[in-house]
């Protein structure tokens, strides 16, 4: 992810989108009757660059895992030791997102960017091919990453996007896994949007009472510290508040846009990273759609800032890519409706 | 559909639902993190009668078509002659709902209950096997159906449910097709809920201005007339305001509940019919879920009265079963998540 450069991010294909909109209006349905599904089909035509694109055929989900030093401050209901256990569940196919992916024919790629563990011999080396470090600095007092680590994580995310695009993926999904990761996500959204940590810090995996109050204090301290140190530079804020997992997600989303490949976003962690990516490379968000609205309070303002209206609003707050996966069939339905519904002219007598 | 009888409608399996809820709480996800998908999985366990039911395997969509005499009053943007043309599009597989059904592996059954046409020789006789009449009385001045026609339509709907259940369907979807059918739907909801026609009458296929004002006047006149004639008897109101299509939908939904078979509801027309069915046979709604919230204003109060919270809210207003079909993958996802996600106890070290 480089500094903003208007010539850097291509725009979706406006002619393809316009042709899709025209076809949508000519289907054997009342005008607008498909609602958001119709709008989604038009977006899909633009990002696929053809007026009547097929439904997604090869979809890659990248689950990006990392630990967060701030967990030591007591901001999560689970200990950091759960992160590697859940990563193992991804590799074994028992994590919720892998269950959905299997059902939907989505390819899952799990990446340890910053899990605070050493894996036993025999673990698939692909898991750690892009590992930047173990954990991150505790963001209330320190930057999450050094500038070098931030660069490495951004480049890792870009490499993940490149690998999928080069393998023929027509849609990317991004998921997160990491105990404590809603804390850096909330901090990043607050820093980028000048938001109030008291409002935008959520319950994550289920903290309340003292732990939630502590989490708010931590986010407040982190945002104040990072804004003082880094201003509103999105890349520096990713390193200051995010962590290697969030920086890699940002790199992935930005590179996908540059590769003219659409991304279906998930919950607050992925969306916080995407918000930083859009700030660094304006125009990228045109390539993204929002799968769902999470129950985390920082998610909605981040979506609004990206100009994205989520497809689902089911009170989910799992992460992992689960909200993007749950929404994926709607995109397939939208594309199929545009392609296969009869035209009104063919239904009405000549 | 008989008169209310509390012993008539079985309840979903509370033990299966409780076991599903227990399993849901033991999955390797934070408590409640699956949001509505978790609740949907618990409902599915109850209506399927087993703690860990498979995703829907045989799903039947019944599209119930009919014309409405009130169209002569100018309440629709399309002429009644479009109804048989769209029915033909269903048979040809070009209607939007048939496109979605094909994508999702759903069996479509199209039924002419009251289309104002005679079909040419060679038309599949199954289409008209349950035909009650052509069109309906103009509800602002006359009952839509005679009591005998109402009985026949209710029985036809019950027969459709029986045929699907006997063929092994584990989920039924109901769709509508008929120019003008949001007028009887709005009238039925207003009559059953004592609602205000000025608020609950919607644009349907796209009327506005004078046509919308006329539609509101027609609904107001119809509700006043039918309430005077029939009080709040749901069966009489179905015949007075609905039409053979809506009465058949009501019969189908009610019989499905008695056959312990779940139904995924669609938009305002199907939901209006379901509301009458629930009033006549209280407890039936426990077997139903709501696929989506339509843009038609009478839909939301009908859903609230049924205690149903829709899965999707995408501004769709097509009918045909399209909203139920769009939501179907969420039900499959919910069931698969409950069945296949690892248990937390299996992820955490012993």
């Amino acid at each position: 992810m480089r500094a903003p450069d208007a010539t850097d991010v291509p725009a979706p294909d406006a002619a393809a989108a316009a042709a899709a909109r025209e076809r949508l209006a000519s289907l054997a349905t009342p005008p607008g009757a498909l609602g958001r599904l119709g709008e989604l089909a038009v977006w899909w035509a633009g990002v696929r660059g053809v007026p009547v694109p097929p439904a997604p055929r090869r979809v890659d989900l990248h689950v990006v895992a990392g630990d967060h030093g701030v967990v030591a401050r007591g901001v999560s209901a689970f200990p950091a030791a759960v992160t590697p256990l859940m990563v193992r569940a991804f590799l074994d196919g028992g994590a919720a997102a892998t269950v959905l992916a299997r059902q939907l024919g989505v390819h899952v790629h799990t990446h340890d960017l910053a899990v605070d563990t050493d894996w036993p011999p025999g673990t698939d080396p692909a898991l750690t091919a892009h590992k930047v470090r173990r954990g991150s600095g505790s963001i209330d007092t320190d930057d999450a990453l050094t500038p070098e680590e931030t660069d490495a994580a951004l480049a890792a995310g870009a490499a993940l996007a490149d690998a999928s695009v080069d393998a023929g993926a027509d849609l990317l999904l991004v998921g997160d896994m990491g105990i404590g990761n809603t804390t850096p996500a909330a901090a990043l959204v607050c820093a980028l949007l000048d938001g109030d940590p008291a409002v935008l810090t959520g319950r994550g995996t289920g903290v309340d009472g003292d732990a939630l109050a502590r989490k708010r204090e931590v986010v407040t301290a982190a945002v104040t510290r990072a804004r003082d140190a880094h201003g509103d530079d999105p890349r520096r804020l990713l390193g200051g508040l995010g962590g290697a997992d969030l920086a890699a997600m940002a790199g992935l989303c930005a590179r996908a846009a540059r590769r003219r490949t659409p991304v279906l976003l998930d919950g607050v962690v992925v969306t916080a990273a995407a918000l930083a990516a859009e700030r660094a490379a304006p125009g990228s968000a045109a390539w993204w759609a929002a799968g769902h609205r999470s129950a985390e309070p920082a998610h909605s303002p981040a979506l609004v800032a990206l100009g994205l209206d989520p497809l689902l609003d089911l009170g989910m707050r799992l992460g992992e890519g689960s909200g993007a996966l749950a929404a994926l069939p709607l995109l397939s339905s939208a594309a199929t409706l545009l392609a296969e519904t009869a035209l009104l002219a063919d239904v009405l007598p000549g």
Side-chain angles (χ1 to χ4, degrees), chain A:
Chain A
M1 195 166 67
R2 285 173 287 168
D5 175 353
T7 66
D8 210 19
V9 181
D13 188 326
R21 188 172 297 285
E22 194 171 337
R23 181 179 175 86
L24 179 67
S26 71
L27 298 180
T29 67
L34 294 178
R36 291 286 313 283
L37 287 189
E39 295 304 312
L40 188 63
V42 170
W43 172 79
W44 181 241
V47 295
R48 295 304 297 143
V50 288
V52 190
R57 286 175 291 198
R58 168 157 175 155
V59 183
D60 279 8
L61 166 64
H62 289 281
V63 178
V64 185
D67 276 309
H68 296 272
V70 73
V71 167
R73 306 288 193 244
V75 295
S76 175
F78 291 87
V82 170
T83 303
L85 298 171
M86 284 305 303
V87 169
R88 172 61 60 190
F90 272 85
L91 300 177
D92 294 343
T98 53
V99 169
L100 287 178
R102 196 161 55 236
Q103 181 201 11
L104 299 167
V106 171
H107 303 258
V108 180
H109 307 270
T110 307
H111 311 285
D112 169 3
L113 265 286
V115 179
D116 191 11
T117 198
D118 288 319
W119 299 96
T123 304
D124 182 355
L127 176 65
T128 52
H130 297 281
K131 189 156 185 168
V132 170
R133 57 171 286 175
R134 287 176 58 153
S136 68
S138 190
I139 58 173
D140 52 337
T141 55
D142 297 289
D143 279 351
L145 306 175
T146 67
E148 294 71 25
E149 288 166 345
T150 308
D151 288 348
L154 287 162
L160 300 182
D162 282 337
S164 279
V165 175
D166 293 342
D170 49 14
L171 177 67
L172 305 187
L173 274 50
V174 189
D176 66 280
M177 171 46 60
I179 298 303
N181 66 12
T182 61
T183 297
L188 196 52
V189 172
C190 287
L192 290 166
L193 299 182
D194 207 11
D196 182 352
V199 174
L200 299 187
T201 304
R203 299 177 60 233
T205 47
V207 297
D208 53 15
D210 287 352
L212 181 56
R214 202 152 50 234
K215 186 174 176 181
R216 287 182 175 135
E217 287 167 18
V218 163
V219 171
T220 301
V223 171
T224 304
R225 183 193 62 71
R227 290 295 298 261
D228 284 350
H230 306 305
D232 58 4
D233 181 315
R235 182 190 187 117
R236 300 291 301 277
L237 289 174
L238 265 174
L241 293 171
D245 42 357
L246 278 84
M249 294 173 201
L252 193 163
C253 291
R255 180 61 63 89
R258 270 220 292 287
R259 295 293 305 271
R260 310 186 67 89
T261 302
V263 178
L264 193 52
L265 301 179
D266 187 48
V268 70
V269 180
V270 172
T271 306
L275 181 61
E278 167 67 17
R279 287 292 171 89
S284 298
W287 295 90
W288 310 333
H292 84 133
R293 184 190 309 283
S294 147
E296 281 292 298
H299 197 204
S300 288
L303 290 169
V304 168
L306 289 168
L308 301 177
D309 193 7
L311 292 164
L312 298 176
D313 191 351
L314 296 172
M316 296 170 71
R317 48 184 182 79
L318 176 62
E320 302 186 358
S322 58
L325 288 160
L328 177 59
L330 292 172
L331 178 55
S332 296
S333 290
T336 306
L337 282 167
L338 183 67
E340 299 183 18
T341 303
L343 302 181
L344 190 61
D346 294 335
V347 169
L348 297 183

